[in-house]
């Protein structure tokens, strides 16, 4: 596959699809990072892009998790803002919509598309403004609020012991609390998002223990940054043992408020469309115009469906995943690339949220990873629709093992084509 990939890259350069990297391009920097601490999970969902589940043994060690945070801080975009604009202060103005969601004292009664859209806007800060304020003036930045997102499988399951053995809950909570403390100390200006399916909240007592531990060192910062719990509550997720989704929501919500955290954010799939990547590629098997009937595992009126005809959609044709795209700050001396990055449990910086592609070893050689973002010819091409479409058409033409999905003008170009090319996995 590597030899074929090299041939594809060379032909794409000859055809003008890829550009030879400019060696003068300054090193990239990080604005947000998603830390996939483990693929161990207390649930197993058919749509999961990382294929997490109870039998997955991959887990980042606490030592490497600390190193990852230190390296993010070392390469943070906020380290170079003073060099670009002069000494100043980063400020972020949230929207009224975000403040409203943060202050909800009880969970909503139903998961609606409109509600999920609100949460999505606030999660991506699309209606917020970031500025750098100096004595010379205020500079508007093309940056969303910096954040660290702890996810992958289930944060509550991290870390694992040697040989993938499960540690006691007390040991895990101790490591989780230490990591939260380290993030808040090292990156105090960053929001910290704990992504969870909420299955730890099997009782009011358990929810209080877990959230109390997470919140103990959460908000000791002078910056306007928050630690928040993000609950995945779509139809693919099972409720906690002997509980309902509604009970889980109430327990997590109540304890978040009681422990001084903002109201949880809700994320998930509110309608009939999912991205055709990762585990979904093998479970649903078909392209964007083929549907699969999926049972509502949540068994909850919060998600008011018994079954859904899920329609996988084309990530590329729908303009890709905003999480993986880089963007630029322009200034008098040139251009700086700013990226939202993904780190796998093995400590590798990966191309996208499906953990495919590879920029290198972020734990031991983070500088090389940041250079690879701008010197790897696939890097920017995979983030731009105008280049990724002809590139993946070329991939499908040259690699007969890639299964072509989709219809219409760009039949070869689907999220699954991208996934197969970068991962080497075939359905």
């Amino acid at each position: 596959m590597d030899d074929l990939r090299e041939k594809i890259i060379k032909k794409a350069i000859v055809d003008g699809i890829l550009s030879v990297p400019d060696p003068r391009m300054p090193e990239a920097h990080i604005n947000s990072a998603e830390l996939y601490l483990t693929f161990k999970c207390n649930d197993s969902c058919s749509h999961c892009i990382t294929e997490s589940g109870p039998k997955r043994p991959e887990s980042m060690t606490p030592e490497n998790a600390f190193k990852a945070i230190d390296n993010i801080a070392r390469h943070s975009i906020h380290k170079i803002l003073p060099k670009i604009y002069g000494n100043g202060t980063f400020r972020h103005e949230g929207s009224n919509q975000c403040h409203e969601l943060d202050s909800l004292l009880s969970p909503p009664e139903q998961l609606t598309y409109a509600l999920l859209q609100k949460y999505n806007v606030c999660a991506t800060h699309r209606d917020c403004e970031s500025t750098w304020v100096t004595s010379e003036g205020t500079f508007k930045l093309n940056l969303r609020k910096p954040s660290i997102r702890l996810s992958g499988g289930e944060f509550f399951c991290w870390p694992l012991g040697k040989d993938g053995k499960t540690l006691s809950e007390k040991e895990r909570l101790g490591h989780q609390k230490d990591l939260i403390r380290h993030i808040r100390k090292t990156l105090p200006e960053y929001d910290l998002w704990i992504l969870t399916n909420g299955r730890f909240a099997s009782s009011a007592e358990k929810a209080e223990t877990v959230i109390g531990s997470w919140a103990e060192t959460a908000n000791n910062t002078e910056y306007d940054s928050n630690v928040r719990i993000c609950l995945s509550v779509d139809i693919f997720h099972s409720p906690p043992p002997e509980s309902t989704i509604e009970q889980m929501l109430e327990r997590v919500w109540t304890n978040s408020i009681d422990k001084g955290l903002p109201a949880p954010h809700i994320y998930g799939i509110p309608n009939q469309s999912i991205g055709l990547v990762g585990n979904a590629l093998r479970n649903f098997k078909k392209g964007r115009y083929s549907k699969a009937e999926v049972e509502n595992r949540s068994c909850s009126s919060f998600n008011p469906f018994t079954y859904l005809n899920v329609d996988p959609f084309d990530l590329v044709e729908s303009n890709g995943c905003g999480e993986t795209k880089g963007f630029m700050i322009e200034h008098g001396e040139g251009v700086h690339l700013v990226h939202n990055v993904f780190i796998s449990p093995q400590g590798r910086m990966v191309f996208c949220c499906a953990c495919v592609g590879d920029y290198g070893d972020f734990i031991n050689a983070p500088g090389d990873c940041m250079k690879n973002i701008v010197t790897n010819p696939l890097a920017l091409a995979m983030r731009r629709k105008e280049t990724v479409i002809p590139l993946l058409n070329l991939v499908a033409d040259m690699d007969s093992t890639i299964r072509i999905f989709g219809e219409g003008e760009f039949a070869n170009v689907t999220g699954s084509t991208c996934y197969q090319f970068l991962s080497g996995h075939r359905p």
Side-chain angles (χ1 to χ4, degrees):
M1 180 62 196
D2 288 341
D3 289 343
L4 179 59
R5 184 175 299 172
E6 288 302 313
K7 290 180 182 178
I8 291 171
I9 290 173
K10 288 179 180 178
K11 181 164 176 41
I13 291 174
V14 170
D15 292 351
I17 298 171
L18 297 182
S19 300
V20 177
D22 185 345
R24 297 169 299 172
M25 180 69 77
E27 183 178 313
H29 290 78
I30 297 170
N31 186 55
S32 294
E34 186 134 359
L35 205 58
Y36 285 161
L37 292 169
T38 183
F39 290 150
K40 180 81 170 180
C41 191
N42 50 20
D43 204 356
S44 183
C45 300
S46 58
H47 72 307
C48 181
I49 59 175
T50 60
E51 304 180 41
S52 297
K55 296 182 179 180
R56 292 294 296 269
E58 299 91 337
S59 181
M60 189 179 290
T61 64
E63 178 186 20
N64 280 349
F66 272 54
K67 287 181 180 178
I69 295 304
D70 292 340
N71 290 338
I72 291 167
R74 196 170 293 121
H75 294 278
S76 170
I77 186 63
H78 297 269
K79 295 291 186 183
I80 67 163
L81 287 172
K83 297 178 183 178
I84 297 174
Y85 299 109
N87 291 329
T89 305
F90 176 81
R91 291 183 184 171
H92 179 84
E93 187 64 39
S95 68
N96 291 333
Q97 185 169 262
C98 294
H99 293 312
E100 174 190 335
L101 292 173
D102 280 349
S103 60
L104 287 177
L105 298 180
S106 58
E109 293 182 0
Q110 198 170 76
L111 182 69
T112 64
Y113 183 73
L115 178 65
L116 261 296
Q117 286 294 94
K118 280 187 178 182
Y119 277 115
N120 186 50
V121 166
C122 292
T124 56
H125 300 290
R126 287 202 300 270
D127 61 345
C128 304
E129 183 174 277
S130 296
T131 54
W132 185 257
V133 182
T134 73
S135 59
E136 301 297 319
T138 298
F139 301 90
K140 188 174 180 179
L141 303 175
N142 182 28
L143 299 177
R144 70 184 194 180
K145 194 173 184 183
S147 66
I148 302 293
R149 294 156 65 104
L150 304 178
S151 65
E154 172 58 39
F155 179 60
F156 176 66
C157 294
W158 179 83
L160 298 182
K162 291 184 178 179
D163 301 320
K165 293 183 178 178
T166 302
L167 299 178
S168 70
E169 183 176 306
K170 182 178 180 181
E171 289 177 297
R172 296 199 318 273
L173 287 176
H175 286 299
Q176 291 164 20
K177 182 167 64 176
D178 289 344
L179 179 60
I180 292 171
R181 179 189 292 115
H182 187 64
I183 293 171
R184 298 306 273 163
K185 179 181 178 181
T186 308
L187 295 164
E189 69 273 23
Y190 276 57
D191 275 353
L192 174 58
W193 295 57
I194 300 173
L195 276 64
T196 174
N197 56 27
R199 297 196 83 225
F200 66 83
S202 55
S203 67
E205 294 76 19
K206 180 63 72 67
E208 183 177 10
T209 298
V210 174
I211 294 174
S213 178
W214 291 350
E216 190 172 318
T217 58
N219 286 320
N220 55 345
T221 174
E222 61 185 276
Y223 290 85
D224 181 23
S225 58
N226 290 309
V227 175
R228 72 174 78 255
I229 293 173
C230 304
L231 287 166
S232 188
V233 289
D234 53 51
I235 65 166
F236 296 98
H237 292 89
S238 306
E242 309 301 324
S243 298
T244 65
I245 290 288
E246 286 80 3
Q247 289 172 323
M248 178 268 287
L249 283 168
E250 183 61 39
R251 292 165 188 162
V252 175
W253 223 277
T254 298
N255 281 283
S256 294
I257 302 300
D258 287 349
K259 306 302 181 185
L261 302 181
H265 265 217
I266 291 175
Y267 70 102
I269 299 166
N271 53 26
Q272 299 187 55
S273 295
I274 66 166
L276 188 63
V277 290
N279 205 20
L281 177 62
R282 281 176 284 283
N283 275 284
F284 299 123
K285 305 216 184 281
K286 300 292 185 179
R288 68 171 287 181
Y289 297 108
S290 299
K291 298 182 180 181
E293 189 173 70
V294 178
E295 184 179 3
N296 183 346
R297 292 177 63 192
S298 72
C299 304
S300 168
S301 60
F302 186 73
N303 302 293
F305 302 97
T306 304
Y307 293 93
L308 272 183
N309 284 314
V310 174
D311 186 2
F313 69 91
D314 179 337
L315 282 175
V316 174
E317 192 170 328
S318 61
N319 210 24
C321 174
E323 287 288 336
T324 66
K325 292 182 179 177
F327 45 90
M328 301 180 182
I329 292 180
E330 295 185 15
H331 59 96
E333 298 177 4
V335 174
H336 281 272
L337 292 174
V338 186
H339 283 261
N340 311 317
V341 301
F342 294 84
I343 313 298
S344 76
Q346 296 85 353
R348 313 295 294 188
M349 182 186 285
V350 295
F351 261 54
C352 69
C353 56
C355 276
V356 294
D358 192 343
Y359 289 117
D361 181 355
F362 188 71
I363 304 301
N364 299 305
D368 290 344
C369 293
M370 301 312 296
K371 291 175 184 175
N372 287 339
I373 287 181
V374 294
T375 59
N376 184 323
L378 289 177
L380 291 182
M382 296 301 290
R383 285 169 165 76
R384 294 173 175 166
K385 186 175 179 180
E386 60 270 24
T387 50
V388 75
I389 286 175
L391 173 63
L392 292 183
N393 272 326
L394 176 63
V395 169
D397 287 340
M398 293 185 66
D399 186 351
S400 61
T401 67
I402 282 184
R403 187 174 175 184
I404 296 174
F405 295 92
E407 297 178 3
E409 185 180 357
F410 304 116
N412 298 358
V413 184
T414 67
S416 58
T417 313
C418 173
Y419 179 81
Q420 291 174 74
F421 172 56
L422 292 174
S423 69
H425 294 175
R426 302 292 184 263

